Amino acid sequence: MCGIVAYIGPREAYPIILKGLKRLEYRGYDSSGVALLNKNLQVFKKKGKVAELEDSLVGKDVHAHAGIGHTRWATHGEPSDRNAHPHSSASGRLAMIHNGIIENYTQLKAELTRKGYTFKSDTDTEVLLNFIEDIQKNNNCGTEEAVRIALKRVVGAYVIVLLDRDQPDTVIAARKGSPLVIGIGKGEHFLASDASPIIEYTKEVVYVNDYELAILKADELILKNLGNEKLTPYIQKLDLELAAIEKGGYDHFMIKEIFEQPDTIFDCLRGRLDVTKGTITMAGIQNNIDKLTKANRIIMIACGTSWHAALLAEYVFEELCRIPVEVEYASEFRYRNPVIHPGDVIIAISQSGETADTIVAIEKAKENGAFIMGVVNVVGSSIARISHAGAYTHAGPEIGVASTKAFTAQLTVLTMIALKIAKEKGTIDQSRYIHLLEELHAIPEKVKEVLKLSDSIKRLADKYKDAKDALYLGRGYNFPIALEGALKLKEISYIHAEGYPAAEMKHGPIALVDEHLPVVFVATRDSYYEKIVSNIQEIKARKGKVIAVISKGDDVISKMSDDTMIVPEADELVAPLLSVIPLQLLAYYIGVAKGYDVDKPRNLAKSVTVE
Ligand code: M6R
């Protein structure tokens, strides 16, 4: 959460930072701000989206060759001008942006208050900045050293980036637990939370690691640890094109990403699944196949949509591999005292690879001797780097805050991993194995079919957009899809929605059903089909409105439903890859019909880098 950008070099810093902030707005958009270092250190900030900051700066002198910028997702202090970053130190000499949470800030604030400091904002960031300035005064040292001393006292997660009015040729940054990428240009340097603000200027990047400090000048990059030892920056080449992070003619990133799914699933399968040879090639899995086949237990750890992918994977792994699977919310797992044995395998699933709870949960499992497999979308992200092995989902940058294409890519990768383990363990017979490879291979074309429903789902969205609540029900492999459909609706349209196993409905939620309640059934033809038909009847008997995702040719449920969304037939193991898409479209079109900013839903941020 929170996006940061910085620039130092011969170009005008402000336009680079502004463009970068717009690209990072998916990380938070409660307020934004810039600090520009010319002869003076000027700070401009504004509540609201980056466009509001931009408007407020029209006609102002924004000339500078060094600057820092921030787009905020509020943690400490409400979204407001005064809580927006950058913050200025008491003397006005330092300006700082921060992504993360300083957990011991109350203690630091009390110390500073006793010394007479007062604060203009409610943020932990301003406290840390003044703590740095105070150290500098007391130790009579430079900003870099003061930062190092301060960070040894700090508990929590951070990326901080500072400008010092007295050092106009330097930007100082440090990281622990939040992402930070340095772009290396010719006689210039860039800094950002991810590579999207950087790629149009350079493809050479350095990912800063935890407890590292970067001192950037236009033509020099110095990387150090907190012990003041110099480190050799590991320069990597970015494999990312600008087009991948632009809307490409679509109204929103979310709809672009929904429509990309035939390609992203294809990319995920490409070079891995070979139906003719009957093979799945995944080096990260193959190299560790013994650990996986001999695992006593697999624990899947994730949050949000990635957790839904994990839940579905539980069904698939247990069915195909006959290994017990537990699915954990990372945020719960990290604070429990979970029983982990050295023979356990953790599969951590994350689009961003930066979700704070998932990272800490992995670290906890690692300490207990578990083997960690990462299923991650963002190449080079923290989770990719701290996992022992893994598989990328190759869905490309996902900018829309509501996850869509990353989810289907996660399901695709997890299904391939399960098939590979099952084949190796001998828990699947050859004909079923080949059948499932063929079914997976056919998915991208079938997704194209599903996307043709777009216009009819848009009409459906108009019909149901004023609903106050909605219930999403599914059984078996479609239960996690019901959860995911409900999450999408909540996030994008702010309609209260609950996902439930269809059979559990009788144990409570059925009390909600009346003629006003839309009930979305995920009811494709599978081994639970007869059961879900009965559940639909139970809803109809109570006058609920039934909207059903059904398989092509299903005349039974279509007659019982008020509305249907028809998807092609597929094996029940891979059918969720199809049945989720109408639900993504429904949420999207309802959000649009209600006039909401679907790419930046209120209160959310794309990657949750605070606990
Ligand atoms: O980047 P991650 O997959 O680790 O993110 C997990 C969740 O924060 C994420 O899926 C969130 O729930 C999305 N907004 C869902 O659309």
Side-chain angles (χ1 to χ4, degrees), residues 71-93:
T71 177
R72 178 171 187 247
W73 186 85
T75 56
H76 294 63
E78 56 165 14
S80 62
D81 288 356
R82 76 191 174 86
N83 285 331
H85 298 215
H87 290 280
S88 305
S89 61
S91 72
R93 192 172 51 76

Side-chain angles (χ1 to χ4, degrees), residues 147-187:
V147 167
R148 250 195 323 271
I149 298 171
L151 293 183
K152 288 184 188 154
R153 280 278 315 276
V154 159
V155 179
Y158 54 80
V159 159
I160 54 168
V161 187
L162 292 100
L163 288 178
D164 180 339
R165 196 178 51 207
D166 296 345
Q167 277 181 277
D169 62 343
T170 309
V171 174
I172 298 174
R175 156 190 169 143
K176 188 205 149 202
S178 298
L180 181 62
V181 190
I182 299 172
I184 303 174
K186 288 195 172 55

Side-chain angles (χ1 to χ4, degrees), residues 303-306 350-352 355 401-403 487-488 491 608:
C303 301
T305 287
S306 298
S350 174
Q351 186 287 127
S352 61
T355 300
V401 165
S403 187
L487 176 62
K488 289 291 89 93
E491 286 185 294
V608 183

Side-chain angles (χ1 to χ4, degrees), residues 18 143 145 153 198 253 256 279 347 349 363 383 495 531 540 547-548 578 589:
L18 191 71
T143 307
E145 193 179 340
R153 280 278 315 276
I198 295 176
F253 282 109
K256 175 187 174 225
T279 53
I347 300 189
I349 304 159
E363 279 159 358
I383 294 178
I495 294 174
K531 302 279 174 207
K540 284 310 295 175
I547 307 158
L578 305 177
Y589 284 123

Side-chain angles (χ1 to χ4, degrees), residues 162-412:
L162 292 100
L163 288 178
D164 180 339
R165 196 178 51 207
D166 296 345
Q167 277 181 277
D169 62 343
T170 309
V171 174
I172 298 174
R175 156 190 169 143
K176 188 205 149 202
S178 298
L180 181 62
V181 190
I182 299 172
I184 303 174
K186 288 195 172 55
E188 58 186 350
H189 283 103
F190 306 81
L191 263 176
S193 301
D194 72 29
S196 61
I198 295 176
I199 44 165
E200 70 187 275
Y201 309 106
T202 177
K203 294 221 158 171
E204 296 208 325
V205 296
V206 173
Y207 290 96
V208 180
N209 292 309
D210 281 351
Y211 305 107
E212 287 180 359
L213 204 76
I215 301 106
L216 300 175
K217 296 180 189 294
D219 50 9
E220 189 182 24
L221 157 63
I222 300 171
L223 205 62
K224 290 183 177 177
N225 59 23
L226 293 186
N228 201 21
E229 292 162 333
K230 278 200 180 174
L231 306 167
T232 309
Y234 172 52
I235 301 174
Q236 303 187 40
K237 267 239 156 351
L238 274 179
D239 180 20
L240 183 66
E241 294 305 326
L242 192 57
I245 56 162
E246 291 183 335
K247 279 192 214 149
Y250 287 92
D251 289 341
H252 298 98
F253 282 109
M254 183 176 174
I255 190 72
K256 175 187 174 225
E257 288 158 5
I258 291 173
F259 270 84
E260 277 174 351
Q261 289 175 107
D263 294 333
T264 49
I265 297 173
F266 181 80
D267 287 345
C268 192
L269 298 170
R270 191 173 47 189
R272 289 169 162 169
L273 183 113
D274 189 326
V275 180
T276 331
K277 292 192 191 140
T279 53
I280 292 172
T281 310
M282 298 174 99
I285 310 302
Q286 190 57 48
N287 297 340
N288 297 286
I289 198 74
D290 277 359
K291 288 204 176 63
L292 290 161
T293 52
K294 294 193 179 113
N296 299 323
R297 183 174 63 146
I298 293 176
I299 305 173
M300 308 237 182
I301 298 177
C303 301
T305 287
S306 298
W307 188 88
H308 296 155
L311 192 63
L312 184 46
E314 175 186 23
Y315 287 50
V316 175
F317 272 67
E318 292 198 339
E319 167 71 19
L320 297 181
C321 314
R322 309 305 299 145
I323 301 173
V325 176
E326 283 170 28
V327 180
E328 298 271 2
Y329 286 110
S331 52
E332 289 295 316
F333 183 85
R334 63 179 284 192
Y335 287 114
R336 283 201 289 114
N337 188 10
V339 179
I340 304 166
H341 302 291
D344 289 339
V345 169
I346 304 286
I347 300 189
I349 304 159
S350 174
Q351 186 287 127
S352 61
E354 300 295 350
T355 300
D357 284 326
T358 311
I359 292 174
V360 179
I362 291 173
E363 279 159 358
K364 182 162 199 165
K366 247 176 150 179
E367 280 160 22
N368 285 278
F371 181 74
I372 317 289
M373 297 275 322
V375 173
V376 174
N377 193 38
V378 177
V379 175
S381 57
S382 301
I383 294 178
R385 288 185 290 147
I386 61 175
S387 299
H388 294 116
Y392 282 117
T393 46
H394 295 311
E398 190 180 66
I399 314 274
V401 165
S403 187
T404 53
K405 64 175 182 171
F407 178 68
T408 47
Q410 287 166 343
L411 297 185
T412 307

